[in-house]
Amino acid sequence: VCPVGAIVRETEEKNVAMDKAEYKGVWVYVEQVGGQARNVAHELLGQGRLLADALGQELAGVIIGEQVAGLAKEVFANGADKVYLVEGPEFSHYNTDAYTITLTDLIKTYKPSVILMGATNDGRDLGPRVAARVGTGLTADCTNLGIDEPTGLVAWTRPAFGGNIMATILCPEHRPQMGTVRPKVFKKPEPDFSRAGEVVRVTSKVKAADLRTKLVDLIQVCTASCNLEEAEIIVSGGRGLCKPENFALIEELAEALGGAVGASRAAVDAGWKPALHQVGQTGKTVGPKVYFACGISGAIQHLAGMSSSDIIVAINKDPDAPIFKVANYGIVGDVLEVLPALTAGFKKLKG
């Protein structure tokens, strides 16, 4: 087993018919929903700017949607030099076929060297399909990015073997170098709206016959309480809550604070909360301003998903629980007694 962060290089003879010198530039796929860019897009623009500067290349944002030209200002403000814009009614909602065809066409036409995408539900669907169509690899669920100095390639870092090691992956023989990055891994850059750039409008090549599925209806199955990636306050519960009914205490505190509800893997595996709420290695990576860990011991897999939070408040009756090692504030006590007291206190402050 290689040590954490180590790069293991395997040399083998390859014969790839590709002129890598033709591929230049760093692209960020700007995922949007209802005309609003997802936070992960802004986070990746900030990191993409750093990569582009290190490589001496330009940074471009790719915007696909219906009536989304207004997003270009935000993309430029967050560091992009150029925007590739594709608009049409076929992009009003995410559609696998329409978006795959479009992004694939953009890549084959303009030949970027690097593409960054968010490891969201849509990004995890779109990224592998596009990578397969253009004949390249894709590193999924990255938690860090950098430049490998000996080769000048992007170094994609992601957890491996259940989080026991961090694998750093290179893509030396194929282009573009592609990867999905978990939301909240990087902080959003400070926007500079004095920045401007070039907008390249590209005509959609999607035909009605290309679309194998159509959206019949949109059913909202989850409220803001489980929108973990965008939340500034998250209240998470774990096995220490003892039974599913006690998650009502988590929900009450989250409601009082205007936050989202999270859960540990143990709580999700027990059926106490749907997987949409899971925080951790195999769940969602979050980085809110305040994270409450209630009845959560602090296994490494959970810490991997929330350790970038600005402030961590831990509540656990075990004073030696690992969660206290990363917490800014710790309360040693019965979570079933502490949560109602906290909720009452915050409600009083709000009143």
Side-chain angles (χ1 to χ4, degrees):
V1 177
C2 64
V4 172
I7 300 177
V8 178
R9 302 183 189 278
E10 297 180 359
T11 304
E12 61 181 73
E13 192 171 339
K14 301 179 180 69
N15 183 18
V16 180
M18 174 178 290
D19 184 0
K20 295 187 285 292
E22 293 182 356
Y23 291 77
K24 297 201 178 292
V26 178
W27 283 13
V28 172
Y29 170 67
V30 181
E31 183 178 335
Q32 56 81 29
V33 179
Q36 299 294 315
R38 298 285 298 268
N39 279 340
V40 68
H42 299 306
E43 296 159 11
L44 292 181
L45 283 166
Q47 192 65 19
R49 181 72 268 168
L50 297 177
L51 293 178
D53 289 344
L55 295 169
Q57 299 178 13
E58 70 175 9
L59 173 66
V62 177
I63 306 175
I64 304 171
E66 182 181 28
Q67 298 181 352
V68 289
L71 292 179
K73 293 180 180 178
E74 297 179 30
V75 175
F76 291 137
N78 284 296
D81 305 302
K82 183 181 289 184
V83 163
Y84 293 96
L85 175 65
V86 189
E87 292 184 296
E90 62 270 35
F91 306 118
S92 59
H93 294 280
Y94 176 77
N95 177 285
T96 299
D97 291 324
Y99 278 67
T100 299
I101 291 168
T102 302
L103 186 52
T104 300
D105 175 62
L106 288 172
I107 292 169
K108 290 182 176 180
T109 303
Y110 297 101
K111 294 181 167 44
S113 177
V114 180
I115 300 181
L116 308 179
M117 307 177 70
T120 60
N121 288 339
D122 290 352
R124 286 170 171 162
D125 177 71
L126 179 62
R129 291 174 181 272
V130 172
R133 298 235 181 148
V134 299
T136 190
L138 180 136
T139 306
D141 281 357
C142 296
T143 56
N144 197 20
L145 299 173
I147 299 296
D148 179 53
E149 291 194 8
T151 62
L153 299 169
V154 174
W156 311 84
T157 301
R158 70 179 307 279
F161 294 103
N164 292 315
I165 68 168
M166 301 299 287
T168 300
I169 299 170
L170 308 179
C171 183
E173 300 298 332
H174 297 80
R175 295 292 182 274
Q177 304 165 75
M178 290 184 64
T180 60
V181 181
R182 292 188 179 189
K184 295 294 185 179
V185 166
F186 301 111
K187 297 294 183 183
K188 289 196 293 185
E190 197 65 38
D192 177 6
F193 285 96
S194 67
R195 286 180 50 86
E198 178 188 1
V199 176
V200 179
R201 290 182 174 270
V202 182
T203 303
S204 170
K205 294 184 178 178
V206 177
K207 302 178 181 64
D210 296 327
L211 307 182
R212 294 172 292 177
T213 61
K214 69 176 182 177
L215 182 68
V216 176
D217 194 8
L218 187 63
I219 301 172
Q220 189 72 26
V221 296
C222 185
T223 64
S225 68
C226 64
N227 189 13
L228 298 175
E229 293 96 339
E230 310 288 328
E232 294 192 345
I233 298 175
I234 296 176
V235 185
S236 282
R239 196 191 301 273
L241 289 168
C242 301
K243 55 184 179 180
E245 292 81 3
N246 290 333
F247 251 92
L249 301 176
I250 298 288
E251 292 162 359
E252 288 171 9
L253 178 56
E255 183 179 358
L257 295 171
V261 174
S264 69
R265 177 171 179 171
V268 171
D269 286 348
W272 298 354
K273 273 291 173 187
L276 284 170
H277 294 268
Q278 185 175 327
V279 174
Q281 178 75 49
T282 53
K284 295 180 179 179
T285 300
V286 300
K289 291 182 178 178
V290 185
Y291 185 87
F292 289 86
C294 310
I296 295 173
S297 62
I300 188 66
Q301 287 84 357
H302 187 79
L303 299 182
M306 45 66 73
S307 57
S308 62
S309 305
D310 291 345
I311 296 175
I312 299 171
V313 181
I315 307 169
N316 203 295
K317 63 183 179 182
D318 178 7
D320 297 319
I323 192 68
F324 288 122
K325 294 180 180 179
V326 299
N328 301 94
Y329 301 96
I331 302 174
V332 179
D334 188 341
V335 69
L336 303 182
E337 297 175 1
V338 174
L339 281 174
L342 281 178
T343 302
F346 283 120
K347 285 183 177 178
K348 186 176 179 181
L349 284 174
K350 286 181 69 176

